[in-house]
Amino acid sequence: MAGAWIGRERVRDAALHPVVDKLEAGERLGFEDGVALFRSRDLQALGALANRAREARHGDRAFFNVNRHINHTNVCVTGCSFCAFARKPGQEGGYRMSLEEVVAKATPGPEERWEEIHIVGGLDPQFPFDRCLEMIRAVKAVNPEVHLKTFTLVEVDYYARRERKSPEEILAALREAGMGSLPGGGAEILGEELRKKICPNKISGARWLGLARTAHRMGIRSNCTMLYGHVESVEDRVDHILRLRELQDETGGFMAFIPLQFNKENTPYEHLPEVTGEDNLRTLAASRLLFDNVDHLKVYWVMVGLKIAQLALWYGADDVDGTVVEERITHDAGATTPVGLGLQELLHLIRSAGRVPVERDTLYNARRVYPA
Ligand code: V47
């Protein structure tokens, strides 16, 4: 049995022993346990513990999605310091897609099909809310079956303020137009002190959580993310995850947690060391153990790279996102991964890591189980 061989005598890091004892007793981990996990350099122990939790939920299965990203505008008034994608209104390099451009991107070619289209953009003063609704309807018109995972909670807040409407009204209008669920962006690090440093003009962490609660209460599922590897501390990471876990206890509305590795190029943080593979795996493993009430832990191959994504499937992650097709946010920050992957490449990534590929829809219903 997976659990039989992780007894605490196999765990070299003594700081992890109380954590192991709690896990063996089926007890929930707390703040100090989270700090011990994130501080530990006993990666094998973290991996074994996280893998046990992962396999208890999902066995050998690794989920993926046939999806496409569209970023309709990179114009953004927020000015988050970590973002290399955004341009201020009027700044060189800014773009705003016309409806026709969005529809052209959303129209599958003869060999293409998408289960999900993920649409997010900047807070663009020249992008009217009505055009967001038109965009959703137009994408649905050329893809009637597709699930639209659209607009972060930060965009929902922006349009609510601009339109002088409640977030409920904005969410209801988006849903009416064809939005199926919300992506997890904009959470960054929820702690207010750190937020003041990296995204002082963005909605507060409390507001982000409040909007997620609102969406969940309306029956709209969402994802949640954590941007790590910049100027945050271990304590910030643990606090972030525990805040998400608390809301999840209340609503159960989060489908997946996605730790996002910070990519630093073209940002003021270029001097910082590159996020390591060790940190990627440790963060995923610690997340799996601490965030015990979220079903899925996604490794976003776009940010961590394909090789770490494979290893991650043994360090707590059960989902590798999807084909993605055209990724801009991370690539503007220097990511060297492909901008998209073909189905066969994704299958190879999962199979050669020793897992069973399961194509899923956005809500994690299995669409097809592929041979191992
Ligand atoms: O909120 C911005 C992050 C997020 C950088 O829900 C950066 O399934 C790394 O949320 N380096 C948007 N990250 C992406 C996102 C996402 C991605 C994939 C799947 C899902 C999902 C959600 O990207 C932002 C921010 O945290 N980001 N700049 C950067 N330089």
Side-chain angles (χ1 to χ4, degrees):
M1 290 301 293
W5 52 272
I6 187 66
R8 60 188 279 183
E9 69 279 4
R10 294 287 304 269
V11 177
R12 281 186 292 111
D13 180 357
L16 284 183
H17 288 177
V19 182
V20 175
D21 290 345
K22 278 195 182 173
L23 290 169
E24 308 261 286
E27 280 174 41
R28 186 168 240 198
L29 303 183
F31 186 85
E32 293 307 329
D33 303 313
V35 170
L37 288 168
F38 272 103
R39 282 208 201 290
S40 180
R41 291 300 178 273
D42 195 345
L43 191 60
Q44 293 308 313
L46 290 180
L49 292 166
N51 191 48
R52 186 169 60 178
R54 181 241 190 259
E55 291 189 352
R57 281 177 186 275
H58 305 296
D60 262 351
R61 294 183 300 167
F63 296 92
F64 72 95
N65 192 4
V66 179
N67 65 349
R68 192 205 203 292
H69 283 216
I70 299 176
N71 302 121
H72 53 283
T73 173
N74 68 347
V75 176
C76 188
V77 292
T78 320
C80 302
S81 60
F82 54 78
C83 183
F85 166 71
R87 296 289 180 279
K88 280 272 152 61
Q91 191 186 342
E92 204 186 325
Y95 72 82
R96 179 178 304 116
M97 289 183 194
S98 66
L99 210 53
E100 293 68 34
E101 282 173 284
V102 172
V103 169
K105 288 198 182 288
T107 307
E111 300 291 304
E112 277 173 321
R113 65 175 174 96
W114 300 304
E115 182 73 45
E116 166 191 291
I117 301 185
H118 175 151
I119 307 178
V120 292
L123 306 189
D124 180 350
Q126 301 298 318
F127 208 98
F129 184 58
D130 281 349
R131 195 152 137 201
C132 297
L133 300 177
E134 273 175 57
M135 182 167 75
I136 294 180
R137 287 190 205 104
V139 170
K140 271 292 213 193
V142 290
N143 274 295
E145 300 298 319
V146 87
H147 181 107
L148 292 187
K149 190 175 70 179
T150 52
F151 299 103
T152 63
L153 292 169
V154 179
E155 289 165 281
V156 170
D157 171 81
Y158 179 64
Y159 285 113
R161 282 186 290 116
R162 236 176 59 183
E163 299 288 306
R164 297 179 195 282
K165 292 200 163 124
S166 67
E168 285 89 343
E169 287 172 298
I170 295 295
L171 286 164
L174 291 171
R175 177 160 63 183
E176 167 79 26
M179 172 265 271
S181 66
L182 297 161
E188 322 310 356
I189 288 284
L190 290 166
E192 310 298 354
E193 284 309 307
L194 203 274
R195 234 171 152 79
K196 274 185 212 150
K197 286 190 202 147
I198 62 169
C199 49
N201 305 320
K202 202 168 224 164
I203 55 171
S204 68
R207 175 79 172 155
W208 190 95
L209 287 167
L211 289 166
R213 179 184 288 110
T214 301
H216 296 172
R217 283 190 180 152
M218 292 172 69
I220 300 169
R221 307 291 308 271
S222 73
N223 287 336
C224 52
T225 55
M226 171 176 77
L227 185 67
Y228 69 95
H230 41 91
V231 291
E232 87 290 0
S233 64
V234 157
E235 287 78 7
D236 289 324
R237 294 186 191 187
V238 174
D239 172 67
H240 179 92
I241 293 172
L242 292 184
R243 286 182 200 223
L244 294 171
R245 186 175 84 175
E246 196 182 337
L247 182 61
Q248 181 75 340
D249 274 339
E250 187 188 319
T251 68
F254 291 126
M255 301 179 285
F257 177 51
I258 316 157
L260 298 173
Q261 180 214 288
F262 175 56
N263 284 58
K264 63 181 181 161
E265 264 179 49
N266 305 316
T267 78
Y269 302 114
E270 283 182 344
H271 62 284
L272 292 178
E274 205 78 56
V275 180
T276 62
E278 189 272 346
D279 194 3
N280 293 143
L281 296 177
R282 178 162 39 89
T283 300
L284 285 161
S287 299
R288 181 61 284 171
L289 293 167
L290 204 53
F291 204 161
D292 56 9
N293 54 357
V294 73
D295 273 344
H296 297 280
L297 179 67
K298 187 188 284 193
V299 55
Y300 192 39
W301 61 260
V302 171
M303 292 186 185
V304 300
L306 302 176
K307 293 177 182 177
I308 292 293
Q310 283 193 300
L311 295 179
L313 295 176
W314 294 89
Y315 284 78
D318 62 277
D319 182 31
V320 294
D321 200 272
T323 46
V324 180
V325 180
E326 188 183 8
E327 202 284 334
R328 280 176 183 255
I329 298 174
T330 327
H331 286 84
D332 284 351
T336 53
T337 46
V339 291
L341 282 184
L343 174 63
Q344 292 307 324
E345 291 168 297
L346 265 182
L347 291 176
H348 175 68
L349 183 147
I350 294 171
R351 281 186 181 129
S352 57
R355 297 299 197 187
V356 178
V358 179
E359 186 180 329
R360 62 163 176 88
D361 64 14
T362 307
L363 304 176
Y364 286 87
N365 300 301
R367 287 282 189 221
R368 183 172 168 191
V369 181
Y370 289 81

